[in-house]
């Protein structure tokens, strides 16, 4: 059994980032809604309380029972967690005189506590709250302050209970990882035993036990997620794994043929299924993004249902679902976090489909999947391949889907991705693509007036897809790509570059 951190989720948009920062230290973390905390806490070595969109002063604010945790095991409250402990144990939390969102700096450190080892004066932290702790409970002492927040960090004396008003899990908190390391390694005594090799060994063993001699169908996409899932399953059940790569008509240019060729050297049993007309027919006339996803999801299920009947005794459908998919689709393990969007590959299957679902990667973030891929000796060019959305180009075509629009976007996308690779920029970018906008604009080509389409280039840098910044690509590069798209892709006369970050925007436009 690995040493584990329990993260109690109060609905913060950053809860999953806490889990990811913990895992960067090779420590397994598990997110559980605050109102579903386990009775048996013996599997956990420490507990972290997340932030929340609620005010601790409101009547409907979460009120967890910490009687089995506080003072009995290492405990860290973050933002709302810090405010809840302050208010619940006799301190005072009041509305801030100013809204405290964004960057701040630690101006004063009041203690030489091990929690603050290596934390420097003026180090940047990230605030996201409208309440502030004005009085600490009896027995609590202030550890650090910012210019506007007196009790930016505090602890309860004679117990390993700490609290911080800021978010160490966010990259903008420049020494946030150091703070989490101090708490987990130095105070809680974790050793960091959850490694990619350990994950492979344990997951393969679990798959063997769960699947036995059953046959499994896996939908391959050509991306790192489904590929890593395939290699794990192949180690566990070998020839009982039947891989299917579906051409949904929404892939990148030549991707169907290239992916099939790529998997030949993997020793996998792979079948290619061209269902592009089936998908395009189902999408005809649909403009709403969620309806697109649902239509694509339904056809995927139908296709795999048909293919499962070709595999005698197939009992399972394997998917490359990863943690952010689960988080953004159904909230973190059923917790109070808000749903952002749905995914075709997350959730249950219809009753008529007799396959059970197995998702060996559903607890991993994207960077963790890549680390596991390296542990499995997967080729580096596949490990570093940009994420590509399950619904494919359907959510990069704003409005209804037609074969003509798909073809146009495939050509523009091939130019953009090809240029990134040619200029050595591909590995600098986490995800990139082209979006076909539902607008036409006036242009001039030669002596003729045109009224044609506009496309947007999108390139972001990220580590897990939960947050992302746009990439500052060189102007000469953008000029080259724009010229090539306009000159080579008939029907496009304008190219723009998306400089929005996530949040508030998302990586995809739909």
């Amino acid at each position: 059994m690995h040493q584990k951190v329990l993260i109690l989720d109060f609905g913060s948009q950053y809860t999953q980032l806490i889990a990811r920062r913990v895992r960067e230290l090779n420590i397994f973390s598990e997110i559980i809604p605050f109102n579903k905390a386990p009775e048996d806490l013996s599997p956990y070595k420490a507990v972290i309380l997340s932030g929340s969109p609620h005010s601790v002063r409101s009547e409907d604010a979460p009120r967890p029972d910490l009687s089995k945790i506080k003072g009995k095991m290492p405990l860290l409250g973050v933002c709302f967690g810090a405010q809840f402990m302050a208010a619940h144990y006799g301190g005072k939390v009041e509305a801030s005189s100013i809204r405290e969102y964004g960057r701040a700096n630690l101006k004063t450190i009041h203690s030489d506590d091990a929690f603050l080892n290596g934390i420097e004066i003026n180090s940047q932290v990230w605030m996201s709250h409208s309440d502030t702790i004005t009085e600490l409970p009896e027995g609590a002492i202030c550890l650090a302050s910012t210019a506007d927040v007196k009790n930016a960090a505090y602890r309860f004396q004679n117990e390993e209970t700490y609290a911080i008003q800021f978010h160490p899990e966010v990259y903008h908190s420049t020494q946030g990882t150091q703070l989490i390391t101090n708490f987990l390694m130095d105070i809680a005594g974790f050793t960091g035993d959850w490694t990619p090799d350990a994950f492979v060994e344990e997951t393969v063993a679990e798959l063997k036990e769960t699947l036995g001699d059953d046959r499994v169908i896996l939908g391959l996409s050509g991306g790192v997620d489904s590929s890593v899932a395939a290699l794990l399953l192949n180690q566990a059940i070998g020839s009982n794994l039947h891989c299917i790569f579906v051409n949904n008509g929404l892939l990148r240019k030549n991707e169907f043929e290239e992916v099939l060729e790529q998997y030949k050297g993997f020793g996998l049993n792979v079948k290619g299924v061209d269902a592009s007309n089936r998908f395009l027919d189902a999408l005809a006339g649909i403009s709403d993004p969620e309806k697109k996803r649902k239509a694509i999801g339904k056809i995927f299920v139908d296709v795999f249902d048909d293919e499962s009947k070709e595999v005698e005794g197939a009992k399972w459908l394997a998917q490359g679902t990863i943690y952010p998919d689960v988080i953004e689709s159904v909230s973190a393990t059923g917790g109070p976090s808000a749903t952002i969007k749905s995914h075709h590959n997350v959730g249950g299957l219809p009753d008529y489909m007799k396959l059970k679902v197995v998702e060996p990667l559903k607890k991993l973030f994207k960077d963790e999947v890549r680390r596991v891929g390296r542990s499995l000796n997967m080729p580096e060019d596949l490990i570093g391949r940009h994420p590509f959305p399950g619904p494919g180009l359907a959510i990069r075509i704003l409005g209804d889907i037609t074969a003509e629009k798909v073809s146009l976007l495939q050509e523009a996308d091939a130019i953009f991705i090809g240029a990134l690779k040619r200029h050595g920029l591909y590995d600098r970018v986490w995800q990139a693509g082209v979006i076909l906008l539902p607008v036409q604009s006036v242009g001039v080509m030669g002596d003729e007036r045109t009224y044609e389409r506009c496309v947007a280039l999108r390139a972001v840098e990220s580590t897990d897809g939960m947050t992302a910044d746009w990439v500052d690509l060189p102007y000469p590069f953008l000029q080259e790509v724009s010229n090539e798209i306009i000159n080579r892709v008939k029907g496009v006369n304008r190219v723009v570059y998306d400089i929005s970050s996530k949040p508030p925007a998302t990586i995809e436009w739909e």
Side-chain angles (χ1 to χ4, degrees):
M1 291 291 293
H2 291 288
Q3 300 172 325
K4 295 199 295 186
V5 175
L6 171 62
I7 301 171
L8 291 182
D9 179 21
F10 298 99
S12 169
Q13 63 177 318
Y14 298 135
T15 300
Q16 295 77 32
L17 291 181
I18 299 175
R20 193 183 166 281
R21 297 296 169 261
V22 171
R23 292 180 185 195
E24 286 177 346
L25 304 176
N26 289 331
I27 298 171
F28 184 74
S29 57
E30 186 174 8
I31 298 173
I32 295 180
F34 76 92
N35 53 0
K36 297 181 181 179
E39 287 291 324
D40 181 11
L41 296 172
S42 60
Y44 304 100
K45 195 173 174 64
V47 176
I48 298 176
L49 309 180
S50 82
S52 175
H54 295 278
S55 166
V56 74
R57 298 180 298 110
S58 66
E59 291 186 4
D60 61 347
R63 289 178 173 81
D65 179 2
L66 302 180
S67 60
K68 295 182 179 180
I69 301 173
K70 184 178 176 295
K72 297 178 173 63
M73 59 195 304
L75 172 63
L76 173 62
V78 175
C79 196
F80 176 88
Q83 293 177 351
F84 171 79
M85 288 195 292
H88 185 71
Y89 293 105
K92 185 178 291 186
V93 176
E94 298 179 301
S96 302
S97 57
I98 59 172
R99 288 167 59 88
E100 295 167 330
Y101 292 95
R103 295 172 177 83
N105 296 92
L106 294 180
K107 293 297 184 184
T108 308
I109 293 178
H110 307 285
S111 170
D112 59 357
D113 193 286
F115 183 61
L116 299 175
N117 282 345
I119 305 301
E120 301 171 355
I121 294 291
N122 288 323
S123 64
Q124 180 176 285
V125 296
W126 186 260
M127 296 289 185
S128 182
H129 61 101
S130 57
D131 293 336
T132 193
I133 302 166
T134 55
E135 292 182 20
L136 291 176
E138 184 177 351
I141 58 171
C142 180
L143 298 181
S145 306
T146 70
D148 296 314
V149 180
K150 177 183 178 182
N151 296 300
Y154 70 92
R155 72 165 295 183
F156 286 84
Q157 294 177 296
N158 303 317
E159 58 184 80
E160 295 174 326
T161 300
Y162 293 83
I164 48 179
Q165 181 60 80
F166 53 90
H167 289 270
E169 69 274 20
V170 176
Y171 275 120
H172 300 298
S173 291
T174 54
Q175 292 191 293
T177 298
Q178 179 65 51
L179 203 68
I180 295 172
T181 300
N182 292 345
F183 174 68
L184 294 177
M185 297 292 199
D186 298 341
I187 294 168
F190 282 86
T191 58
D193 63 349
W194 195 64
T195 64
D197 287 346
F199 175 84
V200 170
E201 180 180 349
E202 292 163 15
T203 301
V204 169
E206 289 173 6
L207 290 170
K208 286 180 177 178
E209 182 178 353
T210 301
L211 302 174
D213 293 326
D214 292 350
R215 293 185 177 181
V216 178
I217 295 176
L218 169 66
L220 286 172
S221 69
V224 64
D225 300 337
S226 64
S227 300
V228 170
L231 292 182
L232 287 169
L233 285 158
N234 193 50
Q235 282 196 18
I237 62 174
S239 61
N240 279 343
L241 174 64
H242 296 259
C243 299
I244 299 170
F245 179 52
V246 176
N247 181 8
N248 60 7
L250 303 164
L251 303 174
R252 284 176 161 152
K253 184 178 179 181
N254 300 326
E255 189 169 24
F256 184 56
E257 297 77 14
E258 291 172 358
V259 166
L260 288 176
E261 184 67 26
Q262 184 179 47
Y263 282 118
K264 284 183 178 178
F266 278 33
L268 299 174
N269 177 22
V270 184
K271 177 182 179 181
V273 178
D274 188 355
S276 52
N277 290 336
R278 198 167 168 180
F279 281 89
L280 291 174
D281 288 346
L283 287 167
I286 298 177
S287 298
D288 180 83
E290 287 300 293
K291 290 181 180 178
K292 288 182 190 177
R293 282 186 167 86
K294 286 179 171 56
I296 291 168
K298 181 182 183 306
I299 299 301
F300 260 113
V301 170
D302 291 345
V303 169
F304 281 110
D305 188 39
D306 292 343
E307 292 302 320
S308 70
K309 294 170 184 174
E310 301 295 319
V311 180
E312 186 177 350
K315 295 183 179 180
W316 297 84
L317 174 65
Q319 297 179 327
T321 306
I322 63 173
Y323 206 20
D325 295 335
V326 176
I327 293 163
E328 294 189 348
S329 298
V330 295
S331 301
T333 60
S337 303
T339 296
I340 298 172
K341 61 177 180 287
S342 63
H343 294 254
H344 75 269
N345 63 334
V346 176
L349 297 173
D351 292 339
Y352 70 81
M353 192 171 182
K354 304 305 180 183
L355 298 180
K356 294 177 284 186
V357 174
V358 56
E359 297 168 315
L361 307 178
K362 66 181 180 181
K363 291 186 177 181
L364 298 185
F365 290 100
K366 175 69 74 172
D367 58 316
E368 293 175 319
V369 175
R370 289 188 169 122
R371 291 170 63 195
V372 170
R374 292 188 178 94
S375 181
L376 291 166
N377 297 315
M378 183 177 289
E380 195 64 34
D381 63 334
L382 180 52
I383 291 174
R385 189 180 184 211
H386 290 178
F388 188 65
L393 299 181
I395 58 171
R396 293 182 180 175
I397 298 174
L398 275 61
D400 66 317
I401 310 297
T402 66
E404 179 266 332
K405 290 180 181 178
V406 171
S407 178
L408 183 151
L409 186 56
Q410 285 175 330
E411 294 297 328
D413 181 83
I415 290 171
F416 184 33
I417 299 300
L420 287 170
K421 292 178 177 179
R422 256 193 342 268
H423 286 263
L425 295 169
Y426 186 84
D427 291 335
R428 178 184 158 194
V429 173
W430 190 78
Q431 184 170 335
V434 180
I435 297 88
L436 180 61
L437 305 183
V439 296
Q440 291 180 290
S441 64
V442 173
V444 177
M445 291 186 178
D447 294 327
E448 296 181 359
R449 178 182 182 274
T450 63
Y451 191 62
E452 295 181 332
R453 299 185 182 278
C454 174
V455 297
L457 309 181
R458 181 75 159 139
V460 300
E461 51 190 3
S462 180
T463 54
D464 49 34
M466 301 302 296
T467 60
D469 287 324
W470 62 279
V471 179
D472 187 8
L473 294 173
Y475 285 164
F477 169 82
L478 291 172
Q479 182 181 41
E480 177 185 318
V481 172
S482 175
N483 287 342
E484 189 172 355
I485 288 175
I486 290 172
N487 288 333
R488 293 179 179 272
V489 183
K490 187 176 181 180
V492 176
N493 69 352
R494 191 176 300 271
V495 176
V496 298
Y497 187 48
D498 181 351
I499 58 169
S500 309
S501 295
K502 176 186 180 180
T506 53
I507 294 175
E508 300 293 343
W509 279 45
E510 288 192 338

